[in-house]
Amino acid sequence: MPDTNKMVRNELVKEFSSFLPADSIIADAETQKPYECDGLSAYCEMPLLVVLPSTIEQVEKIVTICHHRKVPIVARGAGTSLCAGAMPNEQGVLLGLAKFNKILEIDADARTARVQPGVTNLSISQAVRDLGLYYAPDPSSQIACTIGGNVAENSGGVHCLKYGLTVHNILELKMITAQGEFLTIGSQALDTPGLDLLALMTGSEGLLGIMVEITVKLLPTPENARVVMAGFDSVIQAGDAVRDIIANGIIPAGLEMMDHLAITASEDFAHAGYPTQSHALLLCELDGTDAEVDAYITRIENIFKKQGATTIKVSQNEAERVLFWKGRKSAFPAIGRLSPDYYCMDGSIPRSQISHVLSKIASLAQRYGLRVANVFHAGDGNLHPLILYDAGVPGELERTEQLGGEILELCVEAGGCITGEHGVGIEKIRQMPAQFSDQEIKQFMVIKDAFDPLGLLNPGKGIPTLKQCQEYRALNREHSHDHGHEAHAHD
Amino acid sequence: MKTKLAPRFAGTKLADEAQSILRSCVHCGFCNATCPTYQELNDERDGPRGRIYLIKQLFEGADVTSATRTHLDRCLTCRSCETTCPSGVQYGRLIDMARGVMEHELPRSPGQRAIRWGLRKTLPNATLFGALLRIGQSVRPMMPPALKNKIPPRQISPRQHKRSDTHKRVMLLLEGCAQPSATPNTNAAVTRVLDRLGISLIAPAKAGCCGAVSYHLGAHDEGLDHMRANIDAWWPDIENGAEAIVISASGCGTMIKEYGHLLKDDPIYAQKATRVSDLAKDIAEILANEPLDRLKLRPTGKKIAVHTPCTLQHGQAQPDLISNILKRSGFELLLTSENHLCCGSAGTYSILQPTLAKRLLKRKINALEGQKPDVIATANIGCQLHLQTGTKTPIVHWIELIDQVIEI
Ligand code: SF4
Ligand code: SF4
């Protein structure tokens, strides 16, 4: 670490010590190490300093001091991001919000909950279960990921097909600006006058402000909810079944697909009774009144049969419904059973393109000599190809990144988008120029500038500089060129 | 996760195993969500994922100091992280290995060493422990409440602990170190219940501590010696056809089930150790496979909250076993919350990490007493004694509940 950085760090430690307990300031490299990355451990950087405040006043003070000294800040919740969105900055402070883990107020009549940002997604639903309510967005990592992180990435989940993303399920945010000021955005009512800043903040990846309190909307637990699980001999058949469900005007509460690799890994952990010999698995949840659910189940079963499903199972009780989902929700880490490392992609495509994109991914994977497992929100076309690799093999990570890049570009070509719900962070910053023109990127910068003119909040994430855009475009051209040659050599 | 062993570890069996465990972690962070110390401290360094990262540093050869040890020491080894981990990371093995290496490479202060040595010498020694406990019990009435709390009052056995040796079916019984003096009622109940089911128990005098105290404190060789001694003590009866080794303290049971793995490279004991591990059964596993209707149970209307010890629910992956047996036997079980969380007892943890242990105890008692139970049932002596220091509700081994309602 350069001496100037050390000096800054020592001064910051001194200032922070006046209002933070000693064990909330982590300055030694040895124990700072576990903070060097989030859920995407392939990308890491040691921060200047880690702080773990527990009150809003402490956050205000930390941000004010950093602003004054022009020190970057990266906010972090549970560190489960899959796009390196919470990877620290070498010259900055990593602001951990995990101690903000209280549910402050539950209003059963208004069906809202006011919570701190470090509360986990799942614990909100658990806390209001006895009131017959739940919080709808449910990312797979909901057991561990925090609501603050969900807001930063505008997370979705299994149920967002019917109930929307985070942005559709929050009412009010309290945040600290880059200058250290406290700001309330949105309100306890359904709409607020003026611009919809709430929508702007949701998904802003920690670039515009630091959330310190969130009011979420709660939904009544449906009278009945059941899952139909079906195995198919090919992903094409399963993809067609998805198309038919939507074409028939049915909006399931969740509609998920997994391929063979993902099925076997998840079953190994969850013992959910997945058909491990199948090449594709669909999980389709129907909710509503008993009569509605029964009627839908019959229609779904017919569609599955028509598309040649080899096995069909319907959850018989709540425990079984939860078990069916358990496998799906642990699918990413369960892939760790098959491979020491994986790289989780996150792209969206129009539903009509599912079969086409999947077969294209399979041939790309073959060309690169890497295995790809597919887990995705089939209902809304949000793909999560997981590239299996071994970081211990020289060059394999680089090849993985290239394959990942090609997959994302394939999504754009197919009329989709490079991120579904995991955010851009650092991981997808290279693909931003494939998705957006310089003009659009400039607009993003203007917005960033309006909130954070010094560029201190989560620098280097989300929005590439125009110079980077040029480089990435040139590099990508080179890559595809090189790769063309390589592919020939292999042929 | 990519892991590159430091040259000084390369090629050793221990480090190879550590590396393969480290590599199976994909850094998803799911485990932090069910880790008691992460729940309390909300610091990545005090959760499994962070500890794994710290251990990775150790095996990769970084300079590791007592700063790392602080966070490893705070781990309860409850293994809640293991049953949460979708990737199948064997965290319990990893932390044991790391602790062993650290005890060796980074000796503790003399005072710390003395305390740990003392624990390793007294707890596993049934005679010494019993004698000390009796002294404690005799002066207990005069002690200040804080200390008094730590010493369990003498249990009065309702019936004579009679050993039945008349049945055709024979099993070995682990007597345990602290159990004979602190909670004699437990094995007395085990003996009577199995007697009713037509099973006799034998407990060779030479069998002793399971080895867990030493092993989990990083004194691996000492722990392995305890294991070998037990294998020797049990072997003649195993050869004579003993069906199982019955254990009524799930902490010991978990350890004995690991003998096979821990002694796999011992040319003399490897095979016997595997056999012993296969035969090791928690009393709940035995009862789950016996016709309970033969016991003629008449449950009382007592409302019961169940605390399944971590060693049973995570270590032996049997989260519902006791609850299912009690339900099958007609008891009324109450709903409890945060079932996966440790009570803070965790072997010697409540002695070595008293502050955190107390916080966890309070949290656990609240979670268990939500619906006002008459009795709290558990399956491990450590949990039983520790929980009792935090509440007036009686804490018993669940087998005693069964024993009490057998129609005579
Ligand atoms: S859940 Fe398993 S794979 Fe995920 S971080 Fe924890 S130990 Fe690693
Ligand atoms: S063993 Fe228990 S205390 Fe230790 S890291 Fe795992 S869950 Fe946490």
Side-chain angles (χ1 to χ4, degrees), chain A residues 150-164:
Chain A
N150 290 179
V151 173
E153 306 294 347
N154 191 19
S155 308
V158 164
H159 286 97
C160 69
L161 174 61
K162 187 165 178 182
Y163 298 106

Side-chain angles (χ1 to χ4, degrees), chain A residues 257-415:
Chain A
M257 183 159 153
M258 290 157 80
D259 71 0
H260 182 68
L261 277 178
I263 298 168
T264 43
S266 313
E267 177 61 17
D268 203 20
F269 167 63
H271 307 296
Y274 289 177
T276 45
Q277 72 294 346
S278 294
H279 284 265
L281 177 82
L282 282 181
L283 291 165
C284 179
E285 178 165 303
L286 290 315
D287 65 358
T289 61
D290 292 345
E292 272 172 334
V293 172
D294 286 346
Y296 277 132
I297 286 181
T298 316
R299 288 174 67 190
I300 296 285
E301 281 179 322
N302 287 337
I303 292 174
F304 285 168
K305 276 185 206 143
K306 202 182 105 214
Q307 288 300 344
T310 47
T311 58
I312 297 180
K313 252 197 243 175
V314 183
S315 66
Q316 294 306 317
N317 51 45
E318 183 58 16
E320 195 170 37
R321 184 187 75 89
V322 172
L323 184 64
F324 282 3
W325 284 126
K326 184 177 177 189
R328 164 61 188 87
K329 292 200 168 178
S330 40
F332 296 172
I335 294 289
R337 292 169 180 260
L338 305 178
S339 162
D341 301 278
Y342 62 77
Y343 186 36
C344 173
M345 318 297 306
D346 167 43
S348 300
I349 51 166
R351 279 181 297 251
S352 57
Q353 298 285 323
I354 289 179
S355 308
H356 162 70
V357 170
L358 283 179
S359 51
K360 214 44 203 293
I361 290 179
S363 63
L364 277 174
Q366 208 175 17
R367 206 174 76 200
Y368 277 88
L370 292 165
R371 288 186 295 169
V372 175
N374 283 290
V375 176
F376 62 103
H377 308 300
D380 47 11
N382 182 190
L383 294 185
H384 293 305
L386 295 131
I387 308 173
L388 279 53
Y389 72 102
D390 182 345
V393 176
E396 206 159 297
L397 172 62
E398 290 70 24
R399 266 195 299 142
T400 300
E401 284 178 320
Q402 273 178 34
L403 169 57
E406 287 211 42
I407 292 177
L408 290 182
E409 280 149 30
L410 172 67
C411 293
V412 177
E413 265 169 46

Side-chain angles (χ1 to χ4, degrees), chain B residues 24-31 49 52 85-87 89:
Chain B
S24 64
C25 171
V26 293
H27 213 71
C28 65
F30 281 28
C31 50
R49 182 175 62 170
I52 291 172
C85 173
S87 188
V89 173

Side-chain angles (χ1 to χ4, degrees), chain A residues 83-104:
Chain A
C83 69
M87 187 188 89
N89 183 291
E90 189 183 25
Q91 275 148 23
V93 166
L94 183 72
L95 184 78
L97 291 160
K99 290 190 193 284
F100 285 79
N101 62 352
K102 301 204 177 43
I103 295 180
L104 301 169

Side-chain angles (χ1 to χ4, degrees), chain B residues 31 34-38 46-48 51 74-82 91:
Chain B
C31 50
T34 63
C35 168
T37 56
Y38 186 83
D46 292 312
R51 291 188 179 117
R74 285 186 191 151
C75 168
L76 298 139
T77 330
C78 69
R79 295 168 66 184
S80 176
C81 46
E82 263 184 54
Y91 174 86

Side-chain angles (χ1 to χ4, degrees), chain B residues 311-330:
Chain B
T311 38
L312 195 58
Q313 60 169 322
H314 305 303
Q316 302 184 41
Q318 297 284 9
D320 306 316
L321 207 52
I322 318 174
S323 302
N324 288 345
I325 294 176
L326 289 175
K327 267 189 244 163
R328 249 174 73 202
S329 311

